[in-house]
């Protein structure tokens, strides 16, 4: 199955969910409406022709103040059909929130926690949205473009 | 061969053995520096060099250095690698769990001063001496096993000059009073 076919399959089932495409990325990416990302994932996961049973990676991305968006990027793979696909959603940078896909792929659990930990993206419906790498009492989200590290952590100076 | 027979016959107990006279300080220092047992834990790439130092090729055992798995049985802590702030609390706790006398070897640039993370590593402690006192710093990224052995020899040198009778801090204080 080709990229175009997958795209039209989604468009037929969930009209308006595909906002665009990015053919330069590897694998090729579809830009998805953030409010519909969960249904798109659900659809791709269960459809008999795609069956994307593996979420290879889930990444968060900050596009900076100028673009004023954050992104969540889903890399998925279909083991039976050997298909690759990337989905991307753009979120409002001041309040980045998106539905969690943990009920579709269990593996999303820690990936989403990482995106939350480093970028502060909220995943609605995540069963256990805590920091995963940094200590629980860390302040701020280090991968945001405008991040400034805290002065002290537990009474120890952070800067060199 | 003869001596072995002697011992097995309990010869030493009959007064045939020799007597060594030494200062208590020297005896204590000698016993301390001859069996420096480090807490066996590693933090990053430097730990790999620490492991190879303990391997047969470099044979750390010949200095009486045997890694222990509990801080309670250890004399020296080798901070081998990047200390993140999250880990710093744990390193401090491990240090506090060790029994006195205890020593710290800071191994590699990361533990010494933050290493390659000194500028942009928001999560890295810029030198483990900000949370625990360090006795010997071993430079390098990572230090070669020879360098770590050098660190141990340096620590032994330091222990050799210690005294239970005249704590250095007290000496300094008394000197200040005299002035
Ligand atoms: S000093 Fe270099 S080798 Fe050692 S932990 Fe740091 S980065 Fe790794």
């Amino acid at each position: 199955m080709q990229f175009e076919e997958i795209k039209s399959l989604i468009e037929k089932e969930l009209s308006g969910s595909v906002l665009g495409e990015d053919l330069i990325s590897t694998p090729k990416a579809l830009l998805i409406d953030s409010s519909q990302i969960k249904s798109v994932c659900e659809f791709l996961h269960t459809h008999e022709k795609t069956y994307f049973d593996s979420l290879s990676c889930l990444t968060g991305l900050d596009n900076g103040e100028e673009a004023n968006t954050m992104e969540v990027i889903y890399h998925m793979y279909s083991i039976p059909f050997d298909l690759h696909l990337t989905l991307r959603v753009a979120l409002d940078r001041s309040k980045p929130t998106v539905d969690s896909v943990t009920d579709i792929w269990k593996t999303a659990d820690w990936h989403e926690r990482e995106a939350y930990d480093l970028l502060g993206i909220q995943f609605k419906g995540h069963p256990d949205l805590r920091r995963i790498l940094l200590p629980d009492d860390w302040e701020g989200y280090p991968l945001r473009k405008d991040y400034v590290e805290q002065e002290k952590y537990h009474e120890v100076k952070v800067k060199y | 061969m003869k001596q072995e027979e002697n011992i097995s016959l309990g010869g030493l107990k009959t007064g045939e053995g020799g007597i060594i006279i030494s200062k208590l300080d020297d005896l204590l220092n000698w016993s301390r520096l001859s069996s420096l047992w480090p807490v066996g834990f590693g933090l990053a790439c430097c730990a790999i060099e620490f492991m190879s130092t303990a391997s047969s090729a470099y044979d750390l055992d010949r200095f009486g250095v045997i890694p222990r798995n509990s801080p309670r049985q250890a004399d020296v802590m080798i901070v081998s690698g990047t200390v993140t702030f999250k880990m710093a609390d744990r390193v401090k706790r491990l240090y506090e769990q060790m029994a006195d006398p205890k020593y710290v070897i800071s191994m590699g640039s990361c533990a010494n001063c933050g290493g390659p993370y000194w500028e942009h590593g928001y999560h890295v402690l810029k030198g483990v001496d900000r949370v625990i006192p360090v006795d010997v710093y071993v430079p390098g990224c990572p230090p070669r096993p020879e360098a770590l052995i050098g660190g141990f020899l340096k620590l032994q040198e330091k222990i050799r000059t210690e005294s239970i009778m005249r704590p250095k801090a007290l000496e300094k204080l008394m000197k200040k009073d005299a002035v």
Side-chain angles (χ1 to χ4, degrees):
Chain A
M1 192 183 253
Q2 293 302 306
F3 177 73
E4 286 303 324
E5 285 175 76
I6 300 174
K7 187 180 167 190
S8 57
L9 211 63
I10 299 172
E11 268 169 344
K12 208 159 55 183
E13 176 74 20
L14 299 151
S15 64
S17 59
V18 180
L19 303 178
E21 56 187 25
D22 176 4
L23 300 178
I24 306 168
S25 75
T26 326
K28 289 173 186 163
L30 289 172
L31 313 181
I32 305 289
D33 178 14
S34 66
S35 62
Q36 299 204 56
I37 182 68
K38 194 169 174 189
S39 10
V40 172
C41 288
E42 188 89 66
F43 172 69
L44 289 174
H45 179 239
T46 45
H47 194 278
E48 58 185 11
K49 281 196 183 143
T50 52
Y51 196 60
F52 281 101
D53 49 352
S54 164
L55 181 71
S56 313
C57 190
L58 184 151
T59 321
L61 175 70
D62 182 9
N63 287 325
E65 258 161 89
E66 215 167 285
N68 208 25
T69 53
M70 284 205 194
E71 280 180 38
V72 179
I73 301 157
Y74 306 79
H75 282 90
M76 43 184 79
Y77 179 60
S78 158
I79 295 172
F81 298 115
D82 188 24
L83 295 172
H84 295 266
L85 183 69
T86 309
L87 298 184
R88 284 166 51 184
V89 294
L91 309 172
D92 178 12
R93 194 165 177 278
S94 56
K95 205 173 168 291
T97 313
V98 69
D99 283 329
S100 163
V101 291
T102 40
D103 357 329
I104 306 171
W105 299 286
K106 273 271 181 296
T107 182
D109 185 336
W110 283 15
H111 287 276
E112 288 181 352
R113 277 178 65 188
E114 189 191 29
Y116 163 73
D117 189 1
L118 301 177
L119 290 155
I121 297 171
Q122 300 287 334
F123 291 90
K124 265 187 293 172
H126 190 288
D128 180 32
L129 199 61
R130 288 177 294 134
R131 287 189 186 272
I132 190 168
L133 299 167
L134 290 162
D136 285 338
D137 53 356
W138 194 262
E139 291 161 27
Y141 303 104
L143 285 193
R144 287 196 179 181
K145 293 282 189 276
D146 52 1
Y147 173 71
V148 185
E149 61 246 77
Q150 61 205 62
E151 189 100 339
K152 283 186 167 183
Y153 178 74
H154 289 183
E155 302 300 309
V156 183
K157 199 170 138 225
V158 172
K159 279 234 176 278
Y160 179 71
Chain B
M1 201 52 212
K2 246 198 187 140
Q3 186 159 0
E4 254 178 54
E5 272 170 20
N6 243 355
I7 292 170
S8 63
L9 292 170
L12 286 179
K13 286 188 181 165
T14 62
E16 283 165 38
I19 295 174
I20 299 172
I21 298 176
S22 166
K23 286 195 285 182
L24 181 61
D25 268 349
D26 289 346
L27 180 69
L28 280 179
N29 290 346
W30 167 78
S31 54
R32 270 176 201 168
L33 66 84
S34 308
S35 66
L36 285 169
W37 290 358
V39 205
F41 80 109
L43 298 182
C45 4
C46 273
I48 304 292
E49 291 304 289
F50 173 29
M51 286 179 240
S52 80
T53 315
S55 74
S56 53
Y58 293 95
D59 195 16
L60 209 47
D61 296 16
R62 69 198 147 121
F63 302 103
V65 178
I66 305 164
R68 302 297 298 183
N69 292 325
S70 161
R72 311 245 185 235
Q73 304 168 344
D75 311 295
V76 51
M77 169 185 266
I78 302 171
V79 185
S80 53
T82 320
V83 188
T84 58
F85 281 107
K86 201 176 180 179
M87 192 64 196
D89 293 347
R90 276 83 173 165
V91 168
K92 194 168 165 202
R93 171 168 293 196
L94 280 175
Y95 178 75
E96 283 162 356
Q97 284 174 342
M98 287 164 64
D100 268 318
K102 52 190 171 185
Y103 306 94
V104 175
I105 295 179
S106 164
M107 178 187 184
S109 304
C110 280
N112 291 346
C113 64
Y117 312 103
W118 73 275
E119 195 176 6
H120 300 297
Y122 57 86
H123 60 306
V124 175
L125 185 70
K126 313 300 183 305
V128 74
D129 51 6
R130 292 187 183 187
V131 290
I132 54 173
V134 173
D135 293 281
V136 175
Y137 297 86
V138 180
C141 179
R144 285 191 54 94
E146 293 92 327
L148 182 59
I149 291 174
F152 269 107
L153 297 182
K154 205 81 202 158
L155 184 59
Q156 290 187 337
E157 234 171 73
K158 185 171 175 174
I159 295 171
R160 199 169 277 129
T161 62
E162 277 182 352
S163 167
I164 52 164
M165 300 304 287
R166 279 176 298 143
K168 282 271 155 17
L170 197 63
E171 224 169 69
K172 258 190 214 160
L173 261 178
M174 287 170 73
K175 218 182 254 170
K176 224 184 257 166
D177 277 353
V179 171

